[in-house]
Amino acid sequence: MKRLLAMLVLFAIAATSHAADRLRIGHDAWIGYAAAMVARDKGLFHKEGLEVKTIAFAGPGDTLPPLVSGHLDVAFTTLFNLALMAARGNEDLVAIYLLDTSSGADAVVAAKGIETPAQLRGRKIAVTLDEVNHMLLLAALERGGVKPGEAQLVNFNAEDAGAALLAGKVDAAVTWEPWVTRAKGAGGKVVFSSADTPNLILDAVVVRKDVLASKGVQLAQLLRGIDAGHAFLAAKPKESHAALAKWLKVTPAEVAGMLAGDKVYGLADNRALFGAPDKPGPAYDSMRRVAGFIASRGLGARPVKPEGLLVPALVGR
């Protein structure tokens, strides 16, 4: 079934591959893409003179193979996935815009009686090994003075980790919404979250270098459209939440809750995050942290250079 779905997705991509003035964008269902999806659903890309085709994938890493192969022009994914591709030898991809950062939507949630990161010592913790939530757990353990080897890590995806905590199978879990809220409702305690480590988990607009060179005008229109979506989201939250609820198949109230744990960025934010040539902004520090994690886990053989992966040339246009 998964193979059939993959073939259908690729067929849908191929069917739209010849529209020269259209950007084909791959994405998964993540609240951090709210500004882009509001822009799509409210016609804000059209106001910039741009046509987009959005194509859904199961996860942020799934968008990158079709981007590399040329079946997509743009992918929404994490800086972690971008850096991982570079570490494994693909240096043709760059991030041109930062969409959002998790700011509480990802968390280390513990069972009742565990109140601080220090109390994770000796505990059984569900976490997706070698992924961004593993990075979050290491930050939590460091905050509590706990060495990674002093906790028992078991490999679960984020949803299953939350379910395992609720079922009493583990002492703590690294998970995301809505499992964070569910765990808290069952008496769990957030002992550390992405709000405690700003910009650790960043999502970006990622393109191939040749697309950046050949479609710079359209990409600049895309970024202005996303910025317009960011402004619309702030000015008309109820209307925006209703549109996002249809996309995510949740209620507007749930959208509001999701956004409370995530910071969506506009162009002004990007200028601050990228900084200036003589004074790089915090995005480069975030990429260095990601690169350090990838190297420490032996996930790729090549060194990752943040300056080569973050290209802010269009955020000022």
Side-chain angles (χ1 to χ4, degrees):
M1 179 60 72
K2 287 185 177 179
R3 188 174 182 180
L4 176 60
L5 289 173
M7 290 175 65
L8 290 172
V9 167
L10 289 175
F11 177 80
I13 294 172
T16 62
S17 63
H18 299 295
D21 58 345
R22 172 186 291 176
L23 290 180
R24 301 158 298 169
I25 303 171
H27 65 88
D28 60 302
W30 172 242
I31 190 62
Y33 309 149
M37 294 309 169
V38 166
R40 178 195 67 179
D41 294 341
K42 297 301 176 182
L44 303 180
F45 291 127
H46 285 293
K47 289 185 178 180
E48 291 292 334
L50 178 68
E51 183 180 357
V52 302
K53 173 68 176 179
T54 57
I55 303 164
F57 290 81
D62 297 329
T63 62
L64 293 179
L67 179 67
V68 170
S69 67
H71 290 106
L72 293 173
D73 302 304
V74 175
F76 295 167
T77 191
T78 63
L79 287 191
F80 174 85
N81 286 323
L82 172 62
L84 188 60
M85 292 288 283
R88 291 176 175 175
N90 190 317
E91 299 178 340
D92 292 331
L93 305 180
V94 292
I96 62 171
Y97 184 94
L98 301 172
L99 289 160
D100 74 293
T101 186
S102 177
S103 185
D106 297 82
V108 182
V109 190
K112 189 175 181 180
I114 302 174
E115 301 286 330
T116 67
Q119 292 175 308
L120 294 172
R121 182 178 284 107
R123 305 290 187 168
K124 187 176 182 180
I125 306 171
V127 60
T128 312
L129 296 176
D130 298 333
E131 293 286 352
V132 288
N133 49 4
H134 190 180
M135 288 176 55
L136 184 67
L137 175 61
L138 293 181
L141 295 177
E142 183 179 5
R143 176 72 60 87
V146 181
K147 296 178 181 179
E150 294 179 320
Q152 181 185 352
L153 309 189
V154 289
N155 195 18
F156 285 84
N157 66 43
E159 291 85 359
D160 290 344
L165 178 63
L166 288 177
K169 295 179 179 179
V170 295
D171 301 307
V174 189
T175 188
W176 51 41
E177 293 292 7
W179 290 99
V180 174
T181 296
R182 290 173 183 170
K184 289 194 296 183
K189 169 78 173 180
V190 173
V191 297
F192 192 85
S193 81
S194 49
D196 297 307
T197 178
N199 292 316
L200 178 67
I201 303 174
L202 279 164
D203 297 295
V205 175
V206 174
V207 300
R208 297 190 316 278
K209 292 177 181 177
D210 65 298
V211 172
L212 178 58
S214 64
K215 295 191 175 184
V217 172
Q218 292 95 330
L219 291 172
Q221 290 172 319
L222 175 71
L223 302 192
R224 290 197 299 269
I226 294 173
D227 187 56
H230 179 262
F232 193 102
L233 184 63
K236 299 181 179 181
K238 288 186 178 180
E239 188 175 343
S240 298
H241 295 176
L244 293 168
K246 291 181 181 178
W247 167 52
L248 293 170
K249 297 179 174 59
V250 297
T251 68
E254 287 174 312
V255 168
M258 292 176 185
L259 286 169
D262 193 82
K263 182 172 176 55
V264 180
Y265 289 133
L267 276 170
D269 300 305
N270 269 262
R271 291 173 190 131
L273 287 163
F274 281 112
D278 60 338
K279 190 176 181 181
Y284 295 90
D285 291 330
S286 296
M287 184 60 92
R288 274 186 280 273
R289 293 178 69 182
V290 170
F293 173 76
I294 289 171
S296 71
R297 298 294 298 174
L299 301 178
R302 297 193 180 186
V304 175
K305 299 178 181 179
E307 295 77 13
L309 295 179
L310 300 173
V311 179
L314 299 179
V315 299
R317 291 173 61 181

